[in-house]
Amino acid sequence: MNPTPADRPAFRPEPPDLLAGRGIALGVSGSIAAYKALALTSGLVQAGARVDVILTQAATELLRPLAFQALTHRPVVGDLWAPGSELAMDHLAIAQRAELLLVAPATADRLSRLALGLAGDALDTTALASTAPLVLAPAMEPNMWAHPAIQAHVASLTARGAHFVGPWEGRLASGKLGLGRMAEPETILDHLRWLLARQGDLAGRSILITAGPTREPLDPLRFLSNRSTGSMGFALARVARDRGARVTLIHGPVAQDAPVGVATVPVERALDMQAAVLDLAPACDALIMSAAVADYRPAAPSERKIKKQPGDLRLELSRNPDILGSLAEALAEGSGPPPYRVGFAAETEDLETNGRAKLQRKGLDLVVANRVPASFGAGEHEVLLLTPDASEALQGASKLAVAAAILDRVSQALGASPGTGTDVSVPRSERA
Ligand code: CTP
């Protein structure tokens, strides 16, 4: 069958932030880390969430309610008994509309109160009355966090389904180093997205993504590599996670953190990436190879630093294996059906012809042909999505938008998602 030619390039908007339009109750208790709750509130509002802030009495000693009100443009609850406050009239109001209840920072006192189910103030009563998932970002001195009483409360809250984000190791307000720092606002926000993500069209699917460059060592200090930032693969991981998939990201050396909830396998050389892909691909539903794998590696990396000599230095390079290209053969030996396979093609011209050649040569289900150098690290991409029987052109799309378009194809190919009739509790590769 002749493939349908690409229509006019479509503009594709970014997928919405999962926090947009969601009701988040943010309880702030009295740790000096409460200053980070302002950044957290701002991040929630910028993501489009509807934020109800509840400050404990101790928190109001550190920060004024007005600061939170200015960020949320909504009343802030401090005192449960203040005449005219929403909770004085209806003390369940916030509990009922919250889709998530986040307590950040959560002090030792607050964790203990929540674990015991006390009902002494607005945050206590909201937590008791809410059926929304509870997310806690503790902040306290390391000795307090390690205390058996607090650890028993953490265990009891965890057993009841509470999600802990942190605490982290690091420098504390006291000047000490240890485990007790509140997690950073960006991480907490991403944790909330992960909790909200469970119900997408890729729920129950297992998706393996590769990202970033590989590093091919010359000696213990030097290597050959490329300029890939890994951003495309990280965008894919985020969108797949947001749509409910279980995501594993095999990545070369990059300067970014994986989205919360995404399992990571850091690698250096193409050979390491190949081993990780071969290990994990048989159990996944889809493999998306966005990594910029080095095609060559130094033939004989030196175990010692190569010292300079008079004159030129000639390097001999060996071909690296083609990870995607060799996969069909490797998977054919396994029992289950092969995963849906997506490759990338960076092209300066003839996107369609070159992309289609790659689709065939590597036996892929989808090739994402990028025009370079325009797409290299840039915010706007010119991309062709090529399947054996169709082409889709995208222009001016961000990485997140391109990722969403790729995952639409993956989702269509994998078929119905949970709730529409197909049992996806077992990975596709294990189903008959
Ligand atoms: N790839 C791979 N193993 C390699 C090299 C690349 O699996 N050793 C994957 C990449 O992750 C990407 C696709 O194959 O998905 C790119 O194919 P490739 O033929 O390397 O394309 P280009 O880098 O564009 O190379 P060329 O233009 O030289 O053919």
Side-chain angles (χ1 to χ4, degrees), residues 321-343:
D322 185 332
I323 303 175
L324 255 184
S326 58
L327 200 61
E329 207 178 310
L331 291 171
E333 291 160 20
S335 48
Y340 185 84
R341 273 161 294 156
V342 183

Side-chain angles (χ1 to χ4, degrees), residues 59-343:
T60 59
E61 302 290 339
L62 295 159
L63 294 170
R64 297 190 58 193
L66 190 60
F68 290 93
Q69 197 174 310
L71 289 168
T72 61
H73 302 192
R74 295 164 68 83
V76 168
V77 176
D79 184 357
L80 183 58
W81 311 110
S85 94
E86 190 185 12
L87 292 199
M89 289 179 275
D90 175 4
H91 72 289
L92 302 184
I94 292 179
Q96 278 164 353
R97 62 176 176 251
E99 293 173 77
L100 285 176
L101 171 57
L102 165 66
V103 182
T107 59
D109 178 60
R110 189 53 47 174
L111 278 187
S112 307
R113 301 181 67 87
L114 292 169
L116 294 171
L118 300 188
D121 64 13
L123 182 51
D124 280 348
T125 51
T126 300
L128 275 182
S130 170
T131 54
L134 175 62
V135 184
L136 300 159
M140 65 194 77
E141 285 298 308
N143 287 351
M144 295 168 86
W145 175 251
H147 194 285
I150 295 299
Q151 285 305 307
H153 288 325
V154 171
S156 128
L157 285 160
T158 305
R160 276 160 29 204
H163 302 267
F164 280 84
V165 191
W168 286 0
E169 287 266 350
R171 192 177 188 285
L172 298 144
S174 61
K176 285 193 208 138
L177 293 174
L179 186 63
R181 244 178 100 82
M182 186 173 118
E184 291 305 320
E186 264 314 314
T187 305
I188 298 172
L189 290 178
D190 209 37
H191 208 97
L192 301 187
R193 289 189 191 99
W194 180 43
L195 289 175
L196 292 168
R198 309 267 159 106
Q199 282 312 312
D201 60 337
L202 292 170
R205 302 299 190 189
S206 165
I207 299 199
L208 183 60
I209 298 168
T210 67
T214 61
R215 253 183 205 177
E216 309 299 331
L218 272 165
D219 71 10
L221 304 181
R222 306 176 180 102
F223 52 81
L224 298 181
S225 192
N226 59 63
R227 292 184 194 277
S228 166
T229 60
S231 298
M232 188 66 236
F234 279 65
L236 279 159
R238 172 171 173 169
V239 178
R241 188 268 329 247
D242 282 358
R243 288 164 68 161
R246 285 193 306 278
V247 183
T248 304
L249 184 61
I250 302 173
H251 66 84
V254 289
Q256 46 189 317
D257 293 326
V260 172
V262 168
T264 53
V265 182
V267 295
E268 291 238 334
R269 304 171 311 159
L271 291 173
D272 305 327
M273 186 170 277
Q274 183 188 37
V277 169
L278 287 176
D279 185 29
L280 298 170
C284 74
D285 296 305
L287 165 67
I288 309 178
M289 281 284 306
S290 73
V293 185
D295 289 321
Y296 298 92
R297 65 180 183 278
S302 167
E303 281 180 16
R304 297 186 183 176
K305 185 181 169 198
I306 301 171
K307 303 294 280 179
K308 63 179 159 307
Q309 308 285 348
D312 297 337
L313 172 70
R314 287 192 199 289
L315 288 176
E316 194 184 328
L317 302 178
S318 303
R319 262 306 282 271
N320 268 329
D322 185 332
I323 303 175
L324 255 184
S326 58
L327 200 61
E329 207 178 310
L331 291 171
E333 291 160 20
S335 48
Y340 185 84
R341 273 161 294 156
V342 183

